[in-house]
Amino acid sequence: MKQRTIYSFGGGKADGRADMKELLGGKGANLAEMTNIGLPVPPGFTISTEVCNYFLKHHGSLPKDFKKNVLSALQKIERLTGKKFGDPKNPLLVSIRSGARASMPGMMDTILNLGLNDVTIQGLIGKTGNERFAYDSYRRLVQMYGDVVMGLKPVSKDDRDPFELIIERKKENRGTHNDTDLTAADLHDLVREFQAEIRHKLGKDFPQDPTEQLWGAIGAVFNSWMNDRAIAYRKLNDIPAHWGTAVNVQAMVFGNMGDDCGTGVAFTRNPATGENEFYGEFLFNAQGEDVVAGVRTPLAIHRLAERYPDIHKQLLKVRSILERHYRDMQDVEFTIEQGKLYMLQTRNGKRTGFAALRIAVDMVDERLIKPEEAVLRIEPEQLNQLLRPVFDYQEKTSAIGSGRMLAKGLNAGPGAATGRVVFNAADAEEWRHRGERVVLVRIETSPEDIKGMNAAEGILTARGGMTSHAALVGRQMGKVCVVGCGALNIDYPSRTMSVANRTVREGDYISIDGSTGEVIEGQLKTKPSDVVRILIEKETLSEPSPVFTMFTKLMQWSDKFRTLGIRTNADQPDQCEVAVAFGAEGIGLCRTEHMFFGGDRIDAVREMILADDETGRRRALAKLLPMQREDFVGIFRVMKERPVTIRTLDPPLHEFLPHTDKEIEQLSGKSGIPKEKILQRMSKMHEFNPMLGHRGCRLGIVYPEITEMQARAIFQAASIVKKEGIDIHPEIMIPLVGYINELQQQEQIVRRVAEEVCAEDDVKIKYLVGTMIELPRAAVTADEIATLAEFFSFGTNDLTQTTLGLSRDDSASFLPSYLEHGIFEQDPFQTLDRVGVGGLMKIAVTAGRKTRPALKIGICGEHGGDPKSIEFCASLNLNYVSCSPYRVPIARLAAAQSALKQARKRKSR
Ligand code: PEP
Ligand code: MG
């Protein structure tokens, strides 16, 4: 390894910078940056992510000279602190912490107080004169090292942590609930008991040699990059495995040396609501993990001012320096050692969708950032939270009035969740898998729980504060989350939780309100968000809605920056209304077959399918014509002058046939067709591979009268609405075309019918005829197809299916394995396979526009609502993306981000 692997910081100077996250991880890069801008950071060094990758690739061996370089970086810390690693009189203690490029809170491992042993402990006691503190530090080291490096952990899901059990036993013997009541002698005993437990369970000793501890800890942190929870977290957050983690080795400062010490975490703004207030929690006389693990419930940050007004003031100053320097909300960790403040970490803070929106909009108002940056700051998917339901106020009030309120905790993740109670993460996953909505209830959560947290509708914990693991991770996942609900008595073995004299069992329903912290027995109805109420329900709220105002601003900015058009996939007038309210500029896909299921239309459809000949089919189609016409009239009236792409019939016909015996009998009764004949016809229509069978334009080619009826319905509807004074723009789209001749045959029908209707009704209607590109052959012959097609729309659901040879209906059984093994990085039906499917799209765009330079091209597969795929579509210069109505705001934001990122790229070239 040629590159530098170690980057030191301390004494006001650092080798690294904030923009070196790839090498130093987020934590390391920001420790360097904070050092450089003069904030009080204990000295240390960062081992680069490349060493982690080397270590994992070479089965645990380290690059040449690495150990030598670490020891020399350690000497720098020794010089800056005046302490010595392993010194019996004045020992340097260090922390070993992971730190990846993207923050992965709590997923990897940390070891504190490294360098303590049975000898150096005496030096620490001598230096501090505080025996209790020294033994508390030592027992923490043995506990963390025993767990993380040596692997002494709970065995089954209902097991408790073996070290915590020993502590609990000790507290019971001493008749106390608080760690702080344990004496130096108790903690000394704990060290011995922990060491004995390690020896007993693992058959080896806790290492006394500080250097051995150091190599063990560094290796364990590297290995923790590959632990189950880190892998699961990366998968959920699309973090590639090849990034690796950096390791930070830093001089310890102690928050647990006495009552003039403490430790805390803070956000420079409120991470749940986005309010511009310093928001944090801390504990006196404690070490970092006490705050995050939720073992003790921390104090609000302003309480610090009561005892240490100077330190509080200093923190406020750090807050403002950091916000001005990073121009974003920061999440910081700090420690106070004997009245002196140290900063241990800063990073851009995770936040809810509400907070992301508010912080971005506020920072524009405060002139800290520009609207472009505000738009780039919000994850498109986070907008889901603004559209999420809340509890029906009346119902909740009456539930509380009738005594169903169980308890109140901290409102860590906004929104409303109702579900059945489960008490561990594995059950949450399992129950969710069988279709249950669950609320995961834990005393506290740990990183092991993330898959279960992801599966749950909501998360409820008895312990911990707003910065506990449950709160941080829940918020980031956009989960409804209530934490620190101390009144709950949770008993894992009996799978119950009780409050006063009431007991809730596993499987019972509860409702949690993540905006207020209320926990309520039973199910509660939910109600739409402000945005939905105002935009969709057209309600006038009695008070102004800040969320709505900010949402509107964000959407306006997005519209200003984006170049892609945004359309919607909608088949009914009510869906169109929702989409237009969310900002859709047209319909990108109206699947006409969905209309065939409404009311008793299905009878006429079945009659058509079962007809013996064209005459019979035309008779049935004549019944469908007025119904389809009405559908289109409804849609045109809502969409007005916006373009409406209507696709002719696409799915295999047998999808419309009855399935059960009862349905067949009913159909026979209604239509007068004997049951045997229906069965006979059904068996004749049976296909082994319907998705590649008689579907798409092949239907209209074999039965031209179907296309004819649909075209007639479209143009008659267009004529009606045109006469009402609306300038409508229908676009007729032919599905599953692979050969130009297919398109030509269908196009001729459409144009003939259009002419007939326009002549009959004496109207002029401007319309387009185009095709979907959903077969590889269509993509590679796009130049030829574009001689006829006036527009293309990528049907990427089918294009993915046909390019990958992967059934969209059957892949669920093996796709998870593909994802697990990293064969696919993403589900290709969710996020476009840029190389394969995207490669074909590129060919089609280039070839199509070569023939017809102004060719309008869109996408209407599910990928049209996926932010990453939208970015790809923008890079291909498509005209629009089309997605389901509730994803329209997400697509608007994603499109704006894509345009801004493209512009940045162009500028940097
Ligand atoms: C597609 O294939 O991407 C598409 C939009 O059509 P459907 O999903 O109806 O097959
Ligand atoms: Mg399709």
Side-chain angles (χ1 to χ4, degrees):
M1 200 174 235
K2 285 203 197 78
Q3 274 215 32
R4 170 180 203 155
T5 51
I6 311 249
Y7 295 76
S8 291
F9 53 86
K13 277 198 312 245
D15 298 333
R17 284 186 322 265
D19 62 1
M20 291 168 69
K21 290 197 177 72
E22 280 182 30
L23 274 182
L24 304 184
K27 192 187 302 246
N30 285 325
L31 282 170
E33 189 80 5
M34 283 201 292
T35 306
N36 282 331
I37 60 173
L39 295 180
V41 176
F45 59 89
T46 304
I47 301 168
S48 85
T49 51
E50 292 187 339
V51 183
C52 173
N53 289 333
Y54 182 101
F55 178 89
L56 294 173
K57 202 166 147 196
H58 295 85
H59 312 289
S61 65
L62 290 161
K64 194 167 157 268
D65 289 341
F66 172 76
K67 287 192 175 178
K68 198 176 88 198
N69 295 337
V70 166
L71 295 175
S72 97
L74 199 62
Q75 281 171 1
K76 278 194 202 162
I77 310 182
E78 290 176 340
R79 278 197 297 277
L80 285 163
T81 56
K83 298 176 184 173
K84 235 177 143 38
F85 195 55
D87 192 283
K89 293 227 166 58
N90 186 20
L92 167 70
L93 306 186
V94 293
S95 62
I96 315 286
R97 301 165 136 213
S98 60
R101 204 187 297 185
S103 99
M104 295 170 57
M107 297 301 135
M108 289 175 292
D109 292 326
T110 288
I111 291 149
L112 303 178
N113 309 332
L114 195 116
L116 275 177
N117 58 25
D118 294 348
V119 178
T120 55
I121 177 90
Q122 296 307 330
L124 188 63
I125 296 170
K127 269 277 163 198
T128 60
N130 188 339
E131 198 178 353
R132 187 192 179 282
F133 150 75
Y135 278 110
D136 189 35
S137 306
Y138 195 14
R139 70 97 187 159
R140 286 169 195 267
L141 169 65
V142 180
Q143 183 172 356
M144 279 187 261
Y145 201 92
D147 171 355
V148 169
V149 185
M150 304 184 78
L152 184 54
K153 295 172 189 292
V155 180
S156 87
K157 66 182 183 186
D158 288 325
D159 276 358
R160 302 275 313 277
D161 178 90
F163 297 107
E164 287 299 332
L165 282 174
I166 297 174
I167 298 180
E168 223 149 82
R169 220 162 41 218
K170 177 70 66 197
K171 285 198 275 194
E172 247 165 57
N173 287 343
R174 307 279 298 138
T176 180
H177 289 298
N178 298 324
D179 293 8
T180 43
D181 289 342
L182 296 177
T183 63
D186 294 329
L187 295 164
H188 182 262
D189 286 352
L190 279 183
V191 170
R192 298 288 160 248
E193 286 167 34
F194 285 176
Q195 288 177 336
E197 181 79 359
I198 291 173
R199 194 174 309 124
H200 172 65
K201 289 264 172 66
L202 303 176
K204 49 188 171 184
D205 282 321
F206 167 79
Q208 290 292 316
D209 174 3
T211 319
E212 186 186 340
Q213 290 175 8
L214 181 66
W215 305 134
I218 292 173
V221 175
F222 285 152
N223 279 325
S224 70
W225 178 251
M226 294 310 288
N227 73 28
D228 285 350
R229 58 186 199 235
I231 291 172
Y233 186 91
R234 287 204 291 273
K235 205 172 283 168
L236 284 172
N237 293 280
D238 288 335
I239 298 174
H242 68 257
W243 281 5
T245 181
V247 176
N248 298 288
V249 179
Q250 192 176 20
M252 285 295 306
V253 284
F254 294 98
N256 58 336
M257 247 192 209
D259 289 339
D260 59 349
C261 302
T263 187
V265 289
F267 293 90
T268 54
R269 302 192 185 209
N270 186 316
T273 65
E275 234 165 298
N276 189 357
E277 59 179 359
F278 193 41
Y279 189 89
E281 289 159 339
F282 78 105
L283 284 168
F284 282 117
N285 200 10
Q287 270 195 331
E289 80 276 11
D290 297 341
V291 182
V292 182
V295 178
R296 279 157 62 189
T297 299
L299 303 170
I301 199 87
H302 63 87
R303 303 278 304 274
L304 185 60
E306 293 166 12
R307 218 192 290 176
Y308 295 104
D310 282 354
I311 296 219
H312 186 249
K313 230 187 254 163
Q314 214 180 322
L315 256 180
L316 290 180
K317 192 162 164 219
V318 169
R319 171 198 184 208
S320 110
I321 292 173
L322 284 173
E323 275 222 339
R324 255 176 290 137
H325 186 73
Y326 285 95
R327 302 180 317 118
D328 198 357
M329 186 264 266
Q330 296 294 296
D331 162 3
V332 299
E333 278 181 33
F334 62 91
T335 283
I336 303 159
E337 183 184 272
Q338 296 180 319
K340 181 164 170 27
L341 174 71
Y342 292 96
M343 300 308 296
L344 298 184
Q345 174 165 303
T346 190
R347 60 186 174 197
N348 290 340
K350 304 273 180 207
R351 58 204 83 178
T352 62
F354 291 97
L357 177 66
R358 173 147 190 189
I359 291 169
V361 172
D362 281 356
M363 284 192 169
V364 172
D365 291 344
E366 293 161 28
R367 297 183 187 279
L368 266 179
I369 59 173
K370 297 217 177 80
E372 292 88 310
E373 288 173 287
V375 162
L376 286 165
R377 290 271 169 94
I378 298 158
E379 299 253 354
E381 293 286 351
Q382 281 190 314
L383 293 184
N384 266 328
Q385 291 172 34
L386 312 184
L387 311 178
R388 240 176 17 189
V390 292
F391 285 126
D392 178 275
Y393 182 74
Q394 297 280 319
E395 198 182 315
K396 191 173 92 175
T397 315
S398 88
I400 293 174
S402 65
R404 279 167 55 197
M405 172 114 147
L406 285 170
K408 196 163 174 182
L410 301 172
N411 52 339
T418 285
R420 303 177 74 176
V421 170
V422 291
F423 289 100
N424 65 61
D427 288 340
E429 272 193 281
E430 215 173 285
W431 288 44
R432 173 76 207 148
H433 205 68
R434 54 175 209 245
E436 301 279 4
R437 297 163 77 84
V438 298
V439 173
L440 176 63
V441 179
R442 299 284 296 164
I443 296 173
E444 65 212 22
T445 64
S446 75
E448 262 91 0
D449 295 329
I450 63 158
K451 283 201 254 174
M453 292 167 80
N454 191 44
E457 302 296 315
I459 297 149
L460 170 63
T461 68
R463 289 197 200 146
M466 289 290 265
T467 46
S468 64
H469 177 266
L472 280 179
V473 175
R475 222 168 12 235
Q476 192 188 328
M477 286 177 168
K479 292 286 172 192
V480 177
C481 185
V482 174
V483 299
C485 199
L488 302 179
N489 220 322
I490 296 171
D491 184 51
Y492 291 147
S494 67
R495 308 209 168 180
T496 58
M497 72 175 182
S498 52
V499 187
N501 53 0
R502 269 177 302 171
T503 300
V504 175
R505 291 172 202 291
E506 180 183 74
D508 290 350
Y509 276 97
I510 58 164
S511 302
I512 59 173
D513 189 330
S515 308
T516 60
E518 291 152 320
V519 181
I520 296 157
E521 228 175 343
Q523 295 190 73
L524 280 184
K525 260 204 229 97
T526 52
K527 205 172 66 163
S529 73
D530 277 5
V531 175
V532 171
R533 286 172 70 193
I534 296 170
L535 283 181
I536 310 301
E537 318 284 339
K538 314 281 181 215
E539 270 182 64
T540 314
L541 305 191
S542 51
E543 285 180 27
S545 162
V547 172
F548 178 71
T549 311
M550 290 185 284
F551 171 81
T552 309
K553 211 174 222 180
L554 177 71
M555 288 294 111
Q556 282 165 350
W557 287 333
S558 299
D559 290 348
K560 198 169 107 195
F561 300 127
R562 71 183 159 88
T563 47
L564 275 171
I566 308 293
R567 296 198 190 183
T568 191
N569 292 358
D571 322 314
Q572 289 171 16
D574 58 338
Q575 294 172 1
C576 297
E577 269 167 23
V578 171
V580 168
F582 279 141
E585 298 160 317
I587 290 186
L589 174 62
C590 170
R591 292 177 165 103
T592 49
E593 60 269 16
H594 288 177
M595 301 162 166
F596 285 2
F597 287 95
D600 45 12
R601 295 161 183 216
I602 192 68
D603 295 336
V605 176
R606 286 174 176 164
E607 198 184 317
M608 169 187 80
I609 297 169
L610 294 169
D612 285 327
D613 51 21
E614 189 185 325
T615 320
R617 259 190 311 277
R618 283 193 182 275
R619 200 179 312 120
L621 285 166
K623 290 186 197 164
L624 283 170
L625 174 70
M627 302 188 217
Q628 282 243 294
R629 188 169 56 219
E630 271 320 293
D631 293 332
F632 297 136
V633 166
I635 289 173
F636 288 142
R637 280 188 184 140
V638 175
M639 297 309 291
K640 301 203 166 61
E641 71 290 346
R642 300 177 186 89
V644 174
T645 305
I646 299 170
R647 178 177 74 184
T648 52
L649 199 63
D650 180 53
L653 283 182
H654 72 76
E655 275 190 19
F656 300 102
L657 286 176
H659 297 289
T660 62
D661 225 31
K662 196 167 154 215
E663 279 179 336
I664 294 171
E665 267 164 25
Q666 273 172 355
L667 176 63
S668 171
K670 274 189 189 170
S671 63
I673 307 170
K675 193 176 158 188
E676 294 69 41
K677 189 165 170 208
I678 297 177
L679 287 170
Q680 204 182 32
R681 186 93 175 101
M682 278 172 66
S683 95
K684 233 172 123 184
M685 287 176 71
H686 175 261
E687 291 178 312
F688 285 104
N689 215 335
M691 273 312 224
L692 298 176
H694 195 184
R695 60 164 291 213
C697 64
R698 298 157 200 169
L699 292 170
I701 286 171
V702 177
Y703 304 126
E705 55 277 9
I706 299 180
T707 308
E708 204 178 299
M709 181 282 285
Q710 290 200 296
R712 192 167 301 279
I714 294 167
F715 288 107
Q716 287 181 346
S719 155
I720 292 169
V721 180
K722 179 101 199 237
K723 284 182 179 162
E724 290 169 5
I726 303 174
D727 189 21
I728 37 126
H729 293 96
E731 302 178 344
I732 292 88
M733 179 158 78
I734 311 299
L736 216 76
V737 162
Y739 281 75
I740 188 172
N741 294 347
E742 293 174 308
L743 177 61
Q744 188 176 30
Q745 201 254 24
Q746 291 291 289
E747 187 225 24
Q748 278 169 1
I749 299 174
V750 173
R751 292 204 186 276
R752 173 173 55 77
V753 173
E755 254 174 55
E756 285 168 15
V757 174
C758 288
E760 281 159 21
D761 292 3
D762 193 23
V763 285
K764 275 209 175 79
I765 295 163
K766 267 197 261 150
Y767 67 94
L768 301 178
V769 183
T771 186
M772 296 188 77
I773 302 288
E774 39 188 358
L775 295 176
R777 194 182 193 283
V780 296
T781 59
D783 49 348
E784 195 184 16
I785 290 178
T787 57
L788 282 183
E790 293 175 301
F791 65 90
F792 285 173
S793 177
F794 287 107
T796 44
N797 303 333
D798 274 311
L799 191 58
T800 300
Q801 168 167 261
T802 50
T803 302
L804 275 62
L806 196 67
S807 163
R808 32 193 288 203
D809 304 309
D810 303 318
S811 58
S813 61
F814 53 87
L815 209 52
S817 286
Y818 268 55
L819 294 168
E820 214 153 279
H821 293 115
I823 297 172
F824 288 173
E825 278 203 3
Q826 288 131 345
D827 177 345
F829 289 108
Q830 230 168 46
T831 297
L832 263 174
D833 154 39
R834 291 191 184 197
V835 178
V837 178
L840 284 168
M841 290 170 72
K842 218 180 265 180
I843 291 172
V845 171
T846 312
R849 290 206 173 127
K850 199 164 159 212
T851 303
R852 197 186 279 265
L855 185 70
K856 181 154 64 170
I857 307 180
I859 177 175
C860 63
E862 287 311 294
H863 306 91
D866 169 64
K868 278 199 216 124
S869 310
I870 291 173
E871 192 176 332
F872 180 70
C873 292
S875 76
L876 289 186
N877 282 324
L878 297 199
N879 297 81
Y880 67 85
V881 297
S882 187
C883 58
S884 59
Y886 270 80
R887 294 198 73 82
V888 166
I890 295 169
R892 284 163 80 185
L893 178 58
Q897 293 184 347
S898 310
L900 289 168
K901 284 186 205 160
Q902 267 181 318
R904 276 190 184 179
K905 238 193 234 162
R906 273 197 301 273
K907 229 171 156 184
S908 73
R909 259 190 230 131

